[in-house]
Amino acid sequence: MAMDPKPTSVPSASRRNGRVQPGRPSSESWVIWQSISARYASRHDASWSGEVSLAEILIRASQPSAARDVEREDGPGLAYGPRLARVASVIARFRKVFCLAAFLAACALSAGEGVSFRGERHRVLDLEPSSGTGAGEIPAIDRASGRRVELTRRVVLHVADGFDADEIATRHGLVRERGVDARTTVYVAKDAASAIAAASRLGREAGVLATMPGLRRHNAKPAFAWALAPDDPYFAQQWSLDNTGNGFGQPPATSDINARGAWALHRGAGVVIGVLDDGMDPRHPDLKPAYRAELAHNFFTGLDSGVHSLSSQYHGTAVGGLAAARGDNRTGISGVAPAAGLTSWVIFDANDDLPETTQLAAAFQRSPGLVAVQNHSWGNADFDFLEPTFVERVAISNVVSSGRFGLGTVMVRAAGNTRAHNYFGRSGFGDANVDG
């Protein structure tokens, strides 16, 4: 009878009952594979021989004692004994080179099998070729994310109460490095391939709840990035942005808005801030690069101009600087959003009075698709609530729900200047809860 052709590799993986299993070659190779797998499984308490990967068997067989066992037990009495003996002899002779190569070859030839570990079954890793024998790391691709990782020679072992992690790990050739908690320990193998094989075997030990090799991950970034301090001469005195205990700040030293942490992610580029105030000086060197004159408007005169009504007025210019003064220009201060655009909507006249209620409502709703943030650093000059009228309430409701093309315009309101002070003999008045 004609013999089946000799297979050139371990065939691709198949699945049975949700478990990845070796594919089945034909004829003589299958008999040899089943024998090795069954004998190895019986020695290591594997419930099914198919659970023992070819990589583990070959790594185990690369040890001299294992090779002698195979040669002695599978002697001439079996038709395939001499073949197996010769294979074991070659493995033993070249075990240092063959150990890692056999492991990687087994994983590569099991097309799409990947590796996973107890307690981390959701993470399937497809191994890549290693850098060489005894490598401290083996590259792999995380199948779920597609990201590249490296499996290291460390093994994490987490056991149930009443089980001795050190005793279990020692049986698998691992050396204790450090404890994480009472039931979790980090061990070290001689190389990454040994760590992977040990973690795979440990997953079948009684009392082991989770085990896997250490992972080195890429494409991460610090969660709390930190921007360099700008070179603006007065930035050191802006303790509300960066309170570093340099003599200008207020205690405690961490009482700031973490502006430099935010600047590492975004500095306001592409965002326009509308300042509703008494006007602004668009010629100011710290504001001129940010100023958007085409968006400015005066709600008393109806003109598209955002300048102050009187030369003595200054409040809107100061507010604009706090919001968006250009940073890193060696001039003045840095704004909270030093790369944002800026425009001025005049809602205070020369007498510091507000416009008629319908005009103020129009200010609230102006340019909702162009101005993303409105800044209202103003409030009631008296101690009574300054309640908005119906038309103003409607305007505010519309812009915060429909502005920015449905995202909602951000309206920033002043919290008051007198919360912790005695203001005209009335302690505590002036805060945002009192100023309606």
Side-chain angles (χ1 to χ4, degrees):
M1 185 174 74
M3 295 291 291
D4 292 336
K6 181 179 179 180
T8 57
S9 66
V10 177
S12 61
S14 60
R15 289 187 178 270
R16 184 174 70 188
N17 297 329
R19 307 180 75 91
V20 176
Q21 305 174 28
R24 184 179 185 122
S26 59
S27 188
E28 190 176 16
S29 298
W30 175 246
V31 176
I32 295 174
W33 160 251
Q34 282 291 79
S35 177
I36 298 174
S37 181
R39 289 180 182 276
Y40 185 84
S42 64
R43 293 173 190 166
H44 293 275
D45 299 324
S47 59
W48 176 67
S49 60
E51 292 184 15
V52 182
S53 69
L54 176 60
E56 295 181 44
I57 294 171
L58 291 178
I59 290 173
R60 180 75 176 177
S62 68
Q63 306 302 318
S65 59
R68 287 195 297 270
D69 289 344
V70 172
E71 191 171 4
R72 181 182 65 251
E73 293 179 21
D74 298 320
L78 296 175
Y80 53 86
R83 292 178 182 269
L84 185 57
R86 286 196 297 273
V87 171
S89 176
V90 171
I91 291 175
R93 186 177 303 172
F94 300 102
R95 63 183 181 275
K96 290 185 179 179
V97 176
F98 190 70
C99 175
L100 182 60
F103 171 77
L104 295 173
C107 294
L109 292 173
S110 297
E113 180 175 342
V115 292
S116 61
F117 304 93
R118 186 179 183 91
E120 289 277 344
R121 294 298 184 189
H122 66 283
R123 188 190 302 275
V124 180
L125 304 172
D126 295 315
L127 302 181
E128 295 181 347
S130 176
S131 57
T133 304
E137 296 181 351
I138 292 179
I141 299 296
D142 188 320
R143 191 176 291 178
S145 66
R147 290 185 174 180
R148 186 175 183 271
V149 298
E150 276 86 31
L151 285 80
T152 72
R153 64 192 190 98
R154 289 178 172 81
V155 177
V156 181
L157 179 59
H158 178 64
V159 299
D161 285 333
F163 287 84
D164 188 337
D166 288 345
E167 189 274 329
I168 296 173
T170 301
R171 295 204 307 266
H172 294 272
L174 300 176
V175 178
R176 180 187 176 95
E177 182 177 75
R178 64 183 179 86
V180 178
D181 60 26
R183 297 189 294 147
T184 309
T185 312
V186 178
Y187 297 91
V188 179
K190 64 180 181 180
D191 53 35
S194 300
I196 295 171
S200 180
R201 295 193 303 269
L202 284 167
R204 293 187 292 273
E205 288 271 5
V208 173
L209 301 180
T211 179
M212 73 172 298
L215 288 181
R216 186 185 299 279
R217 291 169 291 189
H218 301 275
N219 299 325
K221 62 182 181 180
F224 301 101
W226 195 248
L228 295 175
D231 59 14
D232 304 278
Y234 292 106
F235 179 74
Q237 299 183 36
Q238 292 184 266
W239 62 267
S240 58
L241 304 188
D242 186 29
N243 193 8
T244 58
N246 58 8
F248 294 105
Q250 304 292 318
T254 55
S255 297
D256 59 43
I257 65 170
N258 191 28
R260 289 172 62 186
W263 291 343
L265 304 175
H266 207 288
R267 297 167 62 86
V271 176
V272 178
I273 302 171
V275 176
L276 287 79
D277 215 287
D278 61 8
M280 193 179 297
D281 183 357
R283 302 167 300 172
H284 192 289
D286 236 1
L287 302 182
K288 187 175 180 179
Y291 193 71
R292 298 283 299 274
E294 75 278 11
L295 299 176
H297 192 74
N298 187 312
F299 288 89
F300 290 96
T301 66
L303 300 176
D304 291 333
S305 172
V307 300
H308 294 289
S309 298
L310 295 175
S311 60
S312 59
Q313 291 176 318
Y314 60 88
H315 190 267
T317 296
V319 169
L322 293 174
R326 278 296 177 261
D328 273 324
N329 63 351
R330 300 182 181 180
T331 301
I333 65 172
S334 177
V336 175
L342 197 62
T343 196
S344 171
W345 294 342
V346 180
I347 60 168
F348 285 95
D349 63 10
N351 297 315
D352 284 342
D353 289 329
L354 288 172
E356 190 258 340
T357 55
T358 61
Q359 287 300 304
L360 190 57
F364 292 147
Q365 291 191 200
R366 188 173 181 83
S367 303
L370 298 175
V371 177
V373 179
Q374 293 183 17
N375 187 88
H376 298 265
S377 291
W378 54 273
N380 190 8
D382 205 341
F383 299 110
D384 298 325
F385 285 108
L386 187 64
E387 183 180 0
T389 62
F390 172 76
V391 67
E392 292 167 321
R393 290 198 302 271
V394 170
I396 293 171
S397 177
N398 287 341
V399 74
V400 298
S401 60
S402 302
R404 289 193 302 155
F405 305 102
L407 297 176
T409 298
V410 178
M411 300 186 74
V412 181
R413 184 73 160 80
N417 299 326
T418 58
R419 181 177 182 181
H421 302 282
N422 186 302
Y423 187 59
F424 291 112
R426 301 193 181 189
S427 177
F429 279 85
D431 67 62
N433 295 316
V434 175
D435 182 10

